[in-house]
Amino acid sequence: MQRSSTDGVTVLWQTAPAPGPLTAVLSFGTGVRDETAPTLGVTRLVEALAMTRVGNRPHEFGSTVDEEMTHFIATGTPDDITGFLLAVCSALGDLPLHDTGHATRLLGIHAPLTCDHRGSAPLDARYGPHGLGLLAHQRHDTYARLGPDAARTHAATHFTRGNAVLTLDGPPPAGLSLPLPAGTRPDRPAPRLRADTAGTWQHRQVDTVSLLLTSRAHEPVADAACHVLGHRVEHSTHRTRGITDEPTLHRFLRDRLTLDRVLALHPADGHAEEAAEILWQETLNLARRGPTRDELDTFTAHTRAQLDCGHSHWTALHRAFTAEHFGIPHHDSGTLLAQHTAVTAQDVTDYLRRALTDAVLVVPLDASPRLTTLHGTPLPSSTCWRFHGQHPPTPGTRFRMNPLRRATTPRHERAEYVLTSWGLVARDAQDEHPIRFDEIALMRHDGPGRIVLAGCGCTQHVYPDHVARGERLIAALDAAVPAHLVRTDA
């Protein structure tokens, strides 16, 4: 891998050029995890605005946004590449902000997703609506709330020469120019973890069953464990019983040292509980006894096929610019294959026993799986709702359901709120859900009501006509939530 610099931007390219046209990827170390609940979608907006300046071109080109990075991609002649990159960099330095309304409307119509949402539920459970947890909160109306100021600020912070890497599958073309704005790579602290979710299962309003396992950013044994586990779960749930689709594996970079790996599957109606129990039990079995020799050989063959495939040169380049952006050690294909081949059954067992201590299993609301730990004790649930039988009701000012609604609502569906000095508690007949004011990620106006995105990732709808003295409750919310976390255009 060769390295140089153009206009202050790091440039990486392969020593042996790939056959055919030249391909270039200008990547920026920014994605959804760098946004906040109020600015969710702003990276996609900046990317869309920049691409309006590119126009129609006679060669292949495009752009993508994912959890951690944004890419502008082109394939063509050296002149095609230099022209495309110049147009993108010039646009990022002077965004066409007058097109913001047009761009947000188009983004809302097409509702492009920056990632596969199937892997997002455990991230939401682990982080709430922050960092990687934001992936679960992308909505069709996200872009409508964004304006020129949000795009300008985000571009100035994240789309700079210090946060960019250009990768090519051949030498840089003559006349290459990358006139990006000055700026350094932003600090990316590790996201805050919800400690109460480690080693638990949790209900979420989803239609998938998913398991999050954490590993180091480069840990071949974790690759092996997830590969074997995925095949075992596919055999048990999809091929044998026909109760799920094929499992999918997703990888999310928590920080430069840590990966969150999510195995997700979509169960057939009525089979979520069974699917969750199979997924968890297969994980425990693998942690107890490890993989067979045949399973490890299959994993090694899979690794070799990936490294030898027709797109292997771009796989290597992807590893290179990811390492450059996030400070992850870069390994060539030979080293990777040797490391994967060296994984033993005991290595897998040791890894999974460690990973299970902070794993998170997420299931749909209608599933209540029977799960145990490696030691045979019940696996705890980390639900956000607290059962009255285990916790005394929170004291505070009660806002009971108004008399008319109370008379027409079954007892088990009746809800009320308790206002405290530190937050709001939603309470039903059996449970209560605390919402701390200082952890609210976003509050949207919905007519006279408010839709609150709590720090745990749950959404609470509060309407003044549902409870007695409801206007006082709304006033307390309005006074407690800072203006920058409030959206009035829901």
Side-chain angles (χ1 to χ4, degrees):
M1 192 68 64
Q2 300 294 308
R3 173 191 297 265
S4 65
S5 177
T6 297
D7 296 330
V9 176
T10 298
V11 180
L12 306 174
W13 76 93
Q14 287 186 315
T15 305
L22 182 66
T23 298
V25 178
L26 179 62
S27 61
F28 293 86
T30 185
V32 179
R33 59 167 282 183
D34 297 305
E35 301 170 355
T36 64
T39 66
L40 188 57
V42 70
T43 310
R44 187 76 171 88
L45 175 58
V46 171
E47 172 243 358
L49 287 171
M51 290 299 285
T52 63
R53 289 281 185 90
V54 171
N56 295 321
R57 292 179 176 268
H59 59 88
E60 294 182 31
F61 67 94
S63 55
T64 64
V65 176
D66 60 28
E67 306 85 36
E68 298 107 9
M69 288 185 281
T70 301
H71 309 288
F72 297 91
I73 309 163
T75 299
T77 67
D79 287 344
D80 292 334
I81 299 302
T82 57
F84 172 81
L85 294 175
L86 178 61
V88 169
C89 293
S90 299
L92 289 171
D94 183 20
L95 282 178
L97 296 174
H98 57 276
D99 290 332
T100 301
H102 177 70
T104 55
R105 284 192 298 272
L106 288 179
L107 290 173
I109 291 171
H110 297 296
L113 301 179
T114 57
C115 66
D116 186 340
H117 276 208
R118 289 180 52 157
S120 65
L123 299 172
D124 187 26
R126 174 57 59 83
Y127 306 110
H130 308 282
L132 290 172
L134 286 168
L135 301 179
H137 296 277
Q138 297 178 103
R139 297 160 46 95
H140 287 259
D141 63 352
T142 290
Y143 306 101
R145 302 194 299 267
L146 297 171
D149 288 344
R152 180 189 298 111
T153 300
H154 193 69
T157 304
H158 295 280
F159 288 86
T160 66
R161 67 181 69 139
N163 200 33
V165 176
L166 175 63
T167 314
L168 305 112
D169 60 355
L176 178 65
S177 178
L178 303 171
L180 288 167
T184 58
R185 186 164 297 162
D187 181 36
R188 307 184 83 193
R192 182 182 61 181
L193 304 180
R194 294 182 58 215
D196 59 332
T197 64
T200 67
W201 70 274
Q202 186 175 135
H203 281 125
R204 286 273 155 173
Q205 192 167 354
V206 295
D207 59 359
T208 55
V209 172
S210 49
L211 173 65
L212 182 151
L213 298 169
T214 298
S215 74
R216 293 190 292 274
H218 176 69
E219 192 166 9
V221 64
D223 293 330
C226 291
H227 182 270
V228 173
L229 179 59
H231 277 270
R232 288 190 179 187
V233 172
E234 179 183 357
H235 176 76
S236 298
T237 63
H238 178 67
R239 298 188 182 278
T240 302
R241 291 175 175 82
I243 62 170
T244 73
D245 63 356
E246 297 182 8
T248 54
L249 180 64
H250 311 264
R251 295 157 49 101
F252 304 97
L253 191 66
R254 176 193 297 180
D255 54 55
R256 72 181 198 83
L257 299 176
T258 316
L259 269 178
D260 287 326
R261 302 165 184 264
V262 177
L263 188 66
L265 54 157
H266 188 280
D269 290 345
H271 290 278
E273 199 167 280
E274 182 183 3
E277 290 174 354
I278 291 172
L279 171 57
W280 186 254
Q281 190 58 49
E282 290 288 5
T283 308
L284 294 184
N285 291 342
L286 191 58
R288 288 179 177 129
R289 294 182 288 275
T292 66
R293 182 68 258 172
D294 285 345
E295 287 176 322
L296 287 177
D297 289 344
T298 299
F299 164 67
T300 301
H302 170 76
T303 301
R304 182 179 290 107
Q306 283 190 316
L307 296 174
D308 293 341
C309 72
H311 301 290
S312 60
H313 66 288
W314 268 112
T315 302
L317 290 174
H318 186 276
R319 293 198 304 270
F321 63 64
T322 301
E324 185 69 26
H325 276 301
F326 305 116
I328 301 170
H330 178 252
H331 302 278
D332 60 35
S333 297
T335 301
L336 283 175
L337 182 58
Q339 291 174 339
H340 284 68
T341 303
V343 171
T344 68
Q346 187 62 51
D347 292 336
V348 172
T349 296
D350 292 343
Y351 161 71
L352 281 176
R353 286 177 176 270
R354 184 180 76 246
L356 283 170
T357 61
D358 66 352
V360 181
L361 179 72
V362 172
V363 302
L365 295 177
D366 59 352
S368 294
R370 294 167 295 279
L371 308 170
T372 63
T373 67
L374 271 172
H375 306 292
T377 57
L379 185 71
S381 169
S382 57
T383 178
C384 303
W385 288 82
R386 303 189 306 198
F387 180 52
H388 289 170
Q390 297 175 343
H391 301 273
T394 301
T397 304
R398 294 178 67 185
F399 290 80
R400 302 180 68 185
M401 186 177 288
N402 67 50
L404 178 60
R405 291 183 66 88
R406 186 177 179 84
T408 58
T409 302
R411 182 178 179 82
H412 68 280
E413 294 181 6
R414 294 175 186 173
E416 64 181 27
Y417 297 101
V418 177
L419 183 63
T420 74
S421 60
W422 50 263
L424 181 67
V425 177
R427 180 186 293 167
D428 62 19
Q430 289 187 314
D431 306 284
E432 63 179 32
H433 188 304
I435 301 170
R436 294 191 60 88
F437 290 144
D438 58 3
E439 292 182 353
I440 290 176
L442 183 69
M443 184 172 76
R444 300 197 305 273
H445 285 217
D446 186 21
R450 303 292 184 265
I451 302 175
V452 177
L453 180 57
C456 60
C458 295
T459 300
Q460 185 69 41
H461 297 247
V462 183
Y463 295 98
D465 59 338
H466 287 187
V467 295
R469 300 171 296 148
E471 291 77 11
R472 180 183 170 189
L473 188 61
I474 297 299
L477 276 172
D478 289 345
V481 180
H484 72 279
L485 299 179
V486 178
R487 291 293 176 266
T488 60
D489 50 0

